[in-house]
Amino acid sequence: MSLDSITNSVDKAVSDFVEPIATKLGEIVFYSVPVGGTELPLIVTWLVVAGLVFSAWFGLVQIRKFRLAVDVVRGKYDEKGSDGEVNHFQALTAAVSGTVGLGNIAGVAVAVSIGGPGATFWMVLCGLLGMATKFVEVTLGVKYREVHPDGTVSGGPMHYLPKGLTERFGRNGKVLGRVLAVLASAMILFFGLFGGNLFQVNQSYAQLVSVAGGEDGALGSSAGALFFGLLIAAVVGIVLLGGIRSIATVTSRLVPSMAAMYIVACLIVILANISAVPDAIGSIFEGAFNPEGVAGGILGALIIGFKRAAFSNEAGLGSAPIAHSAVKTKHPASEGLVALLEPFIDTVVVCTMTALTIVIASPDSWTKARTDESIGGVTITSDAFETVLPWFPYILTIAVMLFAVSTVLTWGYYCLKAWTYLFGRSKVSELSFKVVYTLFAVAGALLTLQTLIDLADAVLFSLAVINIIGLYLLAPIVKRELNNFLEYIRSRKAGAPDSSGGADEDKDPVTTTV
């Protein structure tokens, strides 16, 4: 029996078993209601409303404290002797690597095809709102993290939900928190194995095959798929063995490089079509409020834009606090501010650059996709770049590979923390997980398992329901932490000695209002 026949059999068997479960859970989690001629997924409303509430609660912290967030990333307010494993910049790049991926390349293309250019406007707005949600959940992640005797750190919803709810509501909160923590861990682990690992490897392999001669090329065979899977698994396994410090070292170099490469390519296409820029920007704003050919009109464009942004930056899902919790700091809100840059980079910058490139280049595939023809999102984005850079599909393949590898690495860390919360932190437990995770990377090159991936999406977004309820209940604690950090900044700027015994000479004023 050939390897192809084995994998096909496995795909079919898993699909037949899981499909009914995936379909039912998907119907519940992504339940949609008809609004103005289109369908509105309630989970998207849940995420967007959270962004609105937290933006109001914290006085548009994502705008007022944006410059301060950048200063913290630069290390301006670092404190020596702080618990943690990585610096602010490394924590940010590790978390960004988990969100910036194929969704920014393919998902955005689908959004501007279905929702028109106007979807870009709503995508940016949703990204800005998500910055506030990310600030809240990451501040809690650092506040209630667990620092182990060996100096390593564990954080995330499985820690801040039980500890925070116990602190606020006593015994009743403790029981509820423990139940939610177990559910959160299981959801993160399940999604990480299939969505954060297997799917990423599968899609990057498909893109590589497409530029390497297709199924008749050297990598198109099952042997080529196995080789690719083993190669990715080896890279992931080696980096995972080093923990978050190793992951952060890789992502702190990989994320800025791949983001810069991708954005430069976008700028080349935009500059080559500079005369079309005013019309493209005009079509984005006009399409946001008066879209043509979009089901549901303005609501249709809004829903598509919000959906793409919510799915891309993962604000409110509880995943990013796991990476951010490893930061070296004594003030939880400092990393909360750093984290609000994450949706800005992921959605406001990278997603918007992709959308602008497609709208400005207007490749034939995008035009056809807008008339209901089924065309893959990666194809549309690739064609947009190819209008100016004929060789860009090869560069896009490299970008997809880098995005995929960084996502697999970060989700490997997320899964490890969920695994150890459920099964303990022994060396045997951790090694067992790393073996399982690397085997899933191999499987990603061989198996599609689309129904399991669909199920994983539904599982992760169901976590958002649990997580955001917790964020609402714990928001007063976040406000207190923000005030504490702003007071610390004020004292530093006034010349008071910092925790390392030095003094900050920067005397710029800083507001302490919230």
Side-chain angles (χ1 to χ4, degrees), residues 3-57:
L3 185 57
D4 282 335
S5 63
I6 293 174
T7 55
N8 289 336
S9 297
V10 172
D11 268 330
K12 186 177 186 307
V14 171
S15 179
D16 290 344
F17 178 76
V18 176
E19 188 169 11
I21 303 172
T23 301
K24 189 62 178 178
L25 186 59
E27 289 174 355
I28 296 172
V29 176
F30 300 114
Y31 179 78
S32 299
V33 295
V35 178
T38 188
E39 296 292 314
L40 172 63
L42 293 184
I43 189 66
V44 173
T45 305
W46 178 249
L47 293 168
V48 173
V49 168
L52 282 167
V53 170
F54 293 130
S55 294
W57 200 328

Side-chain angles (χ1 to χ4, degrees), residues 73 78 85-93 248 252 326-328 335:
V73 171
D78 284 356
E85 300 181 75
V86 296
N87 61 38
H88 290 290
F89 178 73
Q90 290 174 322
L92 176 64
T93 55
S252 65
V327 72
K328 295 177 181 178
E335 188 62 18

Side-chain angles (χ1 to χ4, degrees), residues 433-456:
F433 165 76
K434 290 169 184 177
V435 171
V436 170
Y437 196 76
T438 52
L439 289 176
F440 267 78
V442 177
L446 297 169
L447 302 171
T448 305
L449 299 182
Q450 186 59 52
T451 52
L452 273 173
I453 294 167
D454 294 339
L455 180 60

